[in-house]
Amino acid sequence: MRSAVVFAIIALILAAAAGLIAYLLYRKKLNEAVLSGEHPTHSKVAAPGEVIPKLIVVLLLVWDFILLINISSLRTQLLTAENNVMGQIGQLKGQLLDLEKQLEAQDLPLKDYDFAPGALDRQSLTFPLHLTATPKEVSDDTRLILTYGSRQVEMTRGASGIYTADLTFGLFEEIPEVPTIQILSGGKTQIETLDSAIYGAGFWSVFLPLPDIFTSDLEMTLKNGTLSVSGSVACSAYGSKDGVNPVKASLELVHNGSVIKTIPLEEAINPDGKPQQLKLKESIASFGENDEFLIAAVLENDLDLTVRQVAAWYAGGSGKESDSGIQILDKSGKVLYE
């Protein structure tokens, strides 16, 4: 802004100088004409009345240019200020969330809690879960009641004021609600939800190796009753989990529930988890408009369980990609989880 003002002052000084020079030249020419007897209309020097309007036009153009520069500069400053304000608002929101969590943590009755799953029983497909909880305040009558799924047990108090409980769960047991601990002390009852606990139907994910499959540039098109499938697929197996090891991996192409092709993936099982890459180019004839086609990664482990994960499917006239669709079967083909 300051430079624009300086520029305007310089322009005004130059314009005034140009006007003064034009006036002096005109007077000089006029005097010469009077002395020599020439008619002033033959003078080629512009009169001040002609120069000044032109100078005004030039000055207006210069001023407009300065205004445009200032407007552009102000716009840039406003955008920068807006970005800074938005960034500060984001930081404040983050700080508020952290503060809310800290305040909530201060109101929570537990100082700490932890879960430690034990080894999986390969015959019964069950495992022990050891839980510990430490209340912030402990008195002689303090009791902790743990509710975990359909189980409700009183936790055992140790000498150091840490409460413990041991439960046994099935690998595919569902826990529909978040576990809670009731703290009963001094005639008051407080409840804390154990948000980091394992619940839902996710126990199997702690122990079972899973296939990791993803597609790239996959195309599925239906034309004249033939479904054409082409593109890249990569698949790898996570390493062993708590003694459960992957033993065989493959890719299945499924048409209306029937496996029409199985592609072995020997390289997908490796210690470093490097994926096996392969190209697909398949044609499925006699494919109806209501038919369904699936591409699934299949991983077998040494528990005689099979984990299938759907990577892509074609149905209803369109193809879709997905990294969900987990299904777990036993050696007889019975579905244990989906």
Side-chain angles (χ1 to χ4, degrees), residues 92-158:
L92 289 174
K93 286 183 177 179
Q95 293 173 0
L96 286 174
L97 288 175
D98 291 339
L99 183 60
E100 288 177 1
K101 290 180 180 179
Q102 293 175 7
L103 292 174
E104 289 176 358
Q106 290 178 359
D107 293 335
L108 295 175
L110 291 181
K111 180 180 179 180
D112 191 19
Y113 65 87
D114 193 22
F115 301 84
L120 178 68
D121 186 314
R122 301 173 69 92
Q123 298 298 321
S124 63
L125 297 183
T126 59
F127 68 97
L129 188 64
H130 181 69
L131 304 94
T132 60
T134 306
K136 291 179 179 177
E137 298 179 0
V138 180
S139 59
D140 293 338
D141 65 342
T142 301
R143 299 168 56 214
L144 269 64
I145 308 298
L146 170 67
T147 301
Y148 209 130
S150 60
R151 299 164 176 78
Q152 189 174 77
V153 298
E154 182 169 347
M155 303 184 73
T156 303
R157 178 177 175 177

Side-chain angles (χ1 to χ4, degrees), residues 21-244:
I21 291 170
Y23 174 75
L24 293 175
L25 290 175
Y26 181 78
R27 287 294 302 271
K28 180 182 178 182
K29 189 66 177 179
L30 187 61
N31 291 334
E32 290 176 353
V34 171
L35 293 174
S36 63
E38 295 180 358
H39 196 279
T41 56
H42 296 292
S43 176
K44 294 183 179 180
V45 178
E50 298 175 355
V51 173
I52 291 175
K54 294 178 180 179
L55 287 175
I56 292 174
V57 171
V58 172
L59 288 174
L60 288 174
L61 290 174
V62 170
W63 185 249
D64 288 342
F65 178 71
I66 293 172
L67 289 177
L68 289 174
I69 292 176
N70 288 337
I71 290 172
S72 177
S73 176
L74 288 173
R75 184 177 298 171
T76 302
Q77 292 175 13
L78 286 173
L79 289 174
T80 302
E82 183 180 1
N83 291 334
N84 291 335
V85 170
M86 294 302 293
Q88 292 174 0
I89 290 174
Q91 291 179 357
L92 289 174
K93 286 183 177 179
Q95 293 173 0
L96 286 174
L97 288 175
D98 291 339
L99 183 60
E100 288 177 1
K101 290 180 180 179
Q102 293 175 7
L103 292 174
E104 289 176 358
Q106 290 178 359
D107 293 335
L108 295 175
L110 291 181
K111 180 180 179 180
D112 191 19
Y113 65 87
D114 193 22
F115 301 84
L120 178 68
D121 186 314
R122 301 173 69 92
Q123 298 298 321
S124 63
L125 297 183
T126 59
F127 68 97
L129 188 64
H130 181 69
L131 304 94
T132 60
T134 306
K136 291 179 179 177
E137 298 179 0
V138 180
S139 59
D140 293 338
D141 65 342
T142 301
R143 299 168 56 214
L144 269 64
I145 308 298
L146 170 67
T147 301
Y148 209 130
S150 60
R151 299 164 176 78
Q152 189 174 77
V153 298
E154 182 169 347
M155 303 184 73
T156 303
R157 178 177 175 177
S160 58
I162 298 176
Y163 289 73
T164 62
D166 292 283
L167 301 174
T168 300
F169 291 97
L171 189 62
F172 300 102
E173 184 171 344
E174 294 188 11
I175 308 295
E177 296 179 352
V178 183
T180 61
I181 290 181
Q182 297 180 61
I183 298 91
L184 294 83
S185 183
K188 296 189 300 183
T189 299
Q190 294 176 286
I191 298 177
E192 183 167 337
T193 57
L194 311 181
D195 297 321
S196 62
I198 303 170
Y199 65 98
F203 286 132
W204 52 266
S205 63
V206 177
F207 298 95
L208 299 185
L210 302 174
D212 185 15
I213 182 170
F214 54 94
T215 58
S216 176
D217 59 51
L218 188 68
E219 293 184 359
M220 293 182 283
T221 55
L222 180 61
K223 186 176 181 181
N224 298 327
T226 298
L227 180 67
S228 299
V229 181
S230 62
S232 304
V233 176
C235 184
S236 63
Y238 295 129
S240 62
K241 289 188 176 182
D242 293 297
V244 182

